[in-house]
Amino acid sequence: MALFASVASALVLGYSGVSPSAARGQRTAVSMVLDTPLVRIGTRGSPLALAQAYETQRLLKLAFPELCEEGAITINAMKSTGDMILDKALSEIGGKGLFTKELDVALLADQVDICVHSMKDVPTWLPDGTILPCNLEREDTRDVFISGKGKTIAELPNGSVIGSASLRRQSQILARNPTLKVVNFRGNVQTRLRKLASNEVDATLLALAGLKRMDMTQHLTSIIEWDEMLPAVAQGAIGIQCRSDDERSLKYLAGLNHHMTKIAVDCERSFLLTLDGNCKTPIAGQARMEGDELVLRGLIARPDGTKVYETSRRGSPADGIAMGKDAGEELKKLAGVDFFLELKAGMAA
């Protein structure tokens, strides 16, 4: 609750951390401080993105005393193309890069020093001159089911309409019950909950991590376990990007990186890269530590759920990237060339 309250306060204060009354009385002094911030954070402007940016700011201040000075950190919110085009599925308008393009441009133009991302929105390629060296400790990666017409997906009557823009979720839903209808359902968490409340759909699915970060778990109906709905690659993880030659930012991010989260996320993204995955391909992948071993589960499917291919790996955390690649290669062979040709044909249709 405190984190969400801080985000709401930040929205009122215009992201500067200076109250309007203080600004009126100290405008000159504050301007001098803000002219030379040590870390300029770039973020999307949605409530969840801002919550993640303010959490990054909090952790930076805890780790580095010099960043506790007033004006040492600024937060620069911007609207991404993905946030502005909500009436079409991501698969129709360009995929994941639509959530990061404006941030990439600002980073390369030296308008910000670091960019805070939901890792599941980050393409497997990064622009030249940038690096993503830091993952914060991961939140719960599971999806949640939200509905007033049943406690689980299985309890929904045949023919029910589920709102989701995710082909990954769509394919796994339809694989279990092909009578259900999945319709495009985009927007931030608050927008989707309003649409659900107005009965535009019978149910929707969201990432538990986002609800927890905004203290909104009271809205969930049930949590979906991996066996029923394998989460997206890098779901629940926050990634922080900087310029590859920015030594100061690299130093700060090294102090925030959560080693085991990064190992798991790198493994999953290697799996995704091998499959050439994007928002046009239903792919799920999750890695986590079980004892001393890194365990990966991966899945690729047709959007209609009629074909689903799964695999898993166990191994040393040091071999995570190789495990992800090997699992991806296995699924490519299992699915066969025709599977991927059919996906491409479906996209072009």
Side-chain angles (χ1 to χ4, degrees):
M1 182 68 73
L3 178 57
F4 188 58
S6 71
V7 172
S9 175
L11 285 166
V12 173
L13 301 180
Y15 316 121
S16 67
V18 181
S19 69
S21 59
R24 284 193 294 271
Q26 303 174 10
R27 194 171 301 277
T28 302
V30 169
S31 296
M32 289 174 61
V33 174
L34 294 182
D35 279 345
T36 55
L38 295 174
V39 180
R40 299 165 296 169
I41 298 176
T43 177
R44 291 163 57 194
S46 71
L48 175 57
L50 285 167
Q52 294 175 165
Y54 275 89
E55 174 66 0
T56 300
Q57 180 189 56
R58 184 185 72 83
L59 293 172
L60 283 167
K61 288 182 175 182
L62 283 176
F64 301 97
E66 70 270 25
L67 297 181
C68 294
E69 296 295 326
E70 186 177 26
I73 302 175
T74 59
I75 292 178
N76 305 275
M78 54 196 79
K79 208 153 198 175
S80 73
T81 304
D83 292 316
M84 292 184 279
I85 304 175
L86 299 177
D87 60 343
K88 295 182 179 179
L90 287 178
S91 57
E92 298 176 15
I93 58 174
K96 295 184 178 184
L98 292 175
F99 288 118
T100 59
K101 182 172 64 174
E102 284 78 9
L103 293 172
D104 288 337
V105 170
L107 184 62
L108 289 170
D110 196 19
Q111 295 169 355
V112 296
D113 300 306
I114 64 174
C115 294
V116 178
H117 301 289
S118 292
M119 277 302 301
K120 71 174 184 176
D121 293 333
V122 179
T124 51
W125 52 268
L126 295 173
D128 290 342
T130 73
I131 188 173
L132 209 159
C134 175
N135 289 130
L136 303 185
E137 185 172 4
R138 199 171 200 173
E139 211 2 306
D140 194 315
T141 69
R142 293 173 293 178
D143 285 315
V144 300
F145 174 74
I146 305 176
S147 177
K149 300 183 179 180
K151 294 181 179 179
T152 65
I153 297 173
E155 288 188 12
L156 287 176
N158 288 346
S160 295
V161 179
I162 300 178
S164 176
S166 164
L167 292 180
R168 169 190 63 86
R169 289 173 176 144
Q170 173 183 305
S171 65
Q172 294 183 77
I173 290 167
L174 297 180
R176 291 180 174 272
N177 185 350
T179 74
L180 298 175
K181 183 180 180 182
V182 182
V183 298
N184 184 47
F185 203 64
R186 294 195 49 229
N188 62 38
V189 172
Q190 290 81 359
T191 298
R192 296 187 210 188
L193 291 175
R194 283 197 297 271
K195 289 180 178 180
L196 178 63
S198 64
N199 294 314
E200 290 187 29
V201 295
D202 298 310
T204 190
L205 278 68
L206 295 170
L208 176 56
L211 292 181
K212 290 181 78 170
R213 287 180 181 133
M214 294 191 295
D215 196 21
M216 296 177 67
T217 55
Q218 72 272 19
H219 295 288
L220 70 85
T221 305
S222 61
I223 297 174
I224 309 173
E225 299 299 332
W226 282 16
D227 288 339
E228 184 178 357
M229 177 73 62
L230 191 63
V233 163
Q235 184 157 306
I238 294 172
I240 309 178
Q241 178 188 16
C242 67
R243 290 180 295 279
S244 52
D245 61 355
D246 184 349
E247 295 298 329
R248 182 165 64 187
S249 292
L250 286 166
K251 178 194 76 171
Y252 289 143
L253 296 186
L256 294 194
N257 184 52
H258 188 261
H259 182 60
M260 296 315 300
T261 295
K262 193 161 195 318
I263 284 175
V265 168
D266 286 351
C267 175
E268 295 164 22
R269 283 170 61 82
S270 174
F271 171 72
L272 185 67
L273 176 63
T274 303
L275 289 166
D276 192 27
N278 51 49
C279 285
K280 302 176 183 179
T281 313
I283 296 174
Q286 286 284 291
R288 64 184 173 193
M289 293 299 297
E290 294 184 5
D292 294 331
E293 287 188 310
L294 182 67
V295 178
L296 169 69
R297 289 180 58 184
L299 171 156
I300 186 168
R302 287 178 55 108
D304 62 6
T306 54
K307 291 181 181 178
V308 180
Y309 300 94
E310 300 182 63
T311 189
S312 63
R313 292 290 185 281
R314 285 181 174 269
S316 166
D319 298 327
I321 291 175
M323 286 169 54
K325 181 178 180 181
D326 188 60
E329 293 290 357
E330 180 192 355
L331 287 192
K332 285 173 78 172
K333 290 178 183 177
L334 277 175
V337 175
D338 287 347
F339 175 87
F340 293 95
L341 290 176
E342 289 170 8
L343 282 179
K344 289 182 179 178
M347 292 175 214

